[in-house]
Amino acid sequence: MTEIVELNVGGVHYTTTLNSLLHEKDSLLCEMFSEGRENLLKDSKGRYFLDRDGVLFRYILDYLRDKTLNLPEGFREKQRLQKEAEYYKLEGMLACMRKERETRSPGSITLGYRGSFQFGKDGLADVKFRKLSRILVCGRVALCREVFGDTLNESRDPDHGGPDRYTSRFFLKHCFIEQGFDMLHEQGFRLAGSCGSGTAGSAAEPKPGVDAEENRWNHYNEFVFVRD
């Protein structure tokens, strides 16, 4: 009968079989559990304790069970997961991650935003802060979800068709354009072009609480990112 093994990985508890832990012969887990288990650290419940990321270990265990890498849509911690795989010496898992990067589908995503500049008060005209009202996301639905994950807001998209359709009605749940750039860069996109325009502002009275000078300096910018 296959032996059942209970683990405590960084405070997260797992139950698996010894066969799963020994599945990759050259891995650190195989080394740890194939010989000298009596020297491994245990918690107060008798579970083997590993001082590593407990949440990410679920993907390590999934790989050992199935020999395939199945990450959820919009998974945002691939770099951290790679470090865990390197620590456990899982060369097969690392090869799967490299293959996934090499076979990522090409495409383009456009980020656009309308913003304004808030100027300092009481003569501090040199003090200004960029204010973004919303960061728009345009592109193929599946690609947008892959890049932005749970930071993508789909509430204004009326079409609930398949993931291969295109939309221009997504936007981000935050207003940090640099965060959007970082997420695109992490997924292998590069900036292909950008454009911007300014508006002269409305002649109408601004809304209460809106500075008249700020209202005059609205602008719109778009950035086109591509992945070959």
Side-chain angles (χ1 to χ4, degrees):
M1 180 180 292
T2 301
E3 182 180 348
I4 303 299
V5 179
E6 293 193 8
L7 304 173
N8 177 346
V9 186
V12 182
H13 303 152
Y14 293 93
T15 301
T16 185
T17 65
L18 182 60
N19 284 348
S20 293
L21 295 175
L22 302 181
H23 208 154
E24 191 150 319
K25 300 306 180 183
D26 295 326
S27 71
L28 178 61
L29 288 169
C30 184
E31 177 184 331
M32 294 170 65
F33 286 92
S34 62
E35 54 186 53
R37 268 192 290 163
E38 64 278 1
N39 297 321
L40 296 180
L41 188 64
K42 293 185 178 182
D43 66 8
S44 59
K45 301 293 185 180
R47 293 175 289 236
Y48 293 104
F49 179 75
L50 303 177
D51 191 16
R52 301 298 300 181
D53 191 311
V55 175
L56 292 180
F57 189 77
R58 63 176 294 189
Y59 305 110
I60 300 289
L61 200 53
D62 283 346
Y63 168 76
L64 290 172
R65 289 166 174 158
D66 304 326
K67 281 297 186 179
T68 58
L69 185 63
N70 294 307
L71 301 179
E73 183 177 309
F75 183 72
R76 299 300 312 150
E77 296 191 280
K78 290 182 180 179
Q79 288 187 334
R80 293 185 61 185
L81 181 59
Q82 179 177 328
K83 289 182 179 179
E84 293 300 298
E86 290 171 350
Y87 172 80
Y88 292 114
K89 301 178 183 178
L90 294 169
E91 292 300 326
M93 185 174 181
L94 290 168
C96 288
M97 298 183 76
R98 287 192 294 269
K99 183 177 180 181
E100 183 190 40
R101 288 195 297 268
E102 293 169 357
T103 59
R104 287 185 300 198
S105 59
S108 64
I109 291 178
T110 299
L111 293 189
Y113 73 86
R114 181 175 64 84
S116 62
F117 286 103
Q118 178 178 355
F119 288 83
K121 297 181 180 180
D122 301 325
L124 298 178
D126 59 323
V127 181
K128 57 185 178 181
F129 305 93
R130 184 179 63 191
K131 295 176 64 178
L132 307 186
S133 58
R134 181 168 290 174
I135 300 175
L136 305 176
V137 180
C138 308
R140 186 161 57 88
V141 171
L143 202 57
C144 295
R145 289 172 177 168
E146 174 190 336
V147 173
F148 298 110
D150 59 5
T151 66
L152 192 67
N153 193 323
E154 303 183 26
S155 63
R156 294 183 63 85
D157 185 37
D159 188 349
H160 298 289
D164 287 330
R165 64 186 174 86
Y166 290 80
T167 183
S168 60
R169 298 185 66 84
F170 287 165
F171 61 96
L172 299 183
K173 295 179 181 179
H174 58 80
C175 290
F176 302 103
I177 190 69
E178 291 82 7
Q179 183 177 344
F181 291 168
D182 284 343
M183 297 175 83
L184 284 159
H185 177 70
E186 289 171 5
Q187 293 295 323
F189 284 80
R190 59 180 175 81
L191 181 65
S194 64
C195 64
S197 63
T199 60
S202 173
E205 287 294 322
K207 296 179 180 179
V210 177
D211 182 75
E213 185 70 12
E214 175 187 337
N215 195 50
R216 291 173 52 190
W217 296 100
N218 291 324
H219 57 280
Y220 181 77
N221 296 277
E222 279 193 346
F223 303 86
V224 181
F225 290 83
V226 298
R227 185 169 70 188
D228 300 324

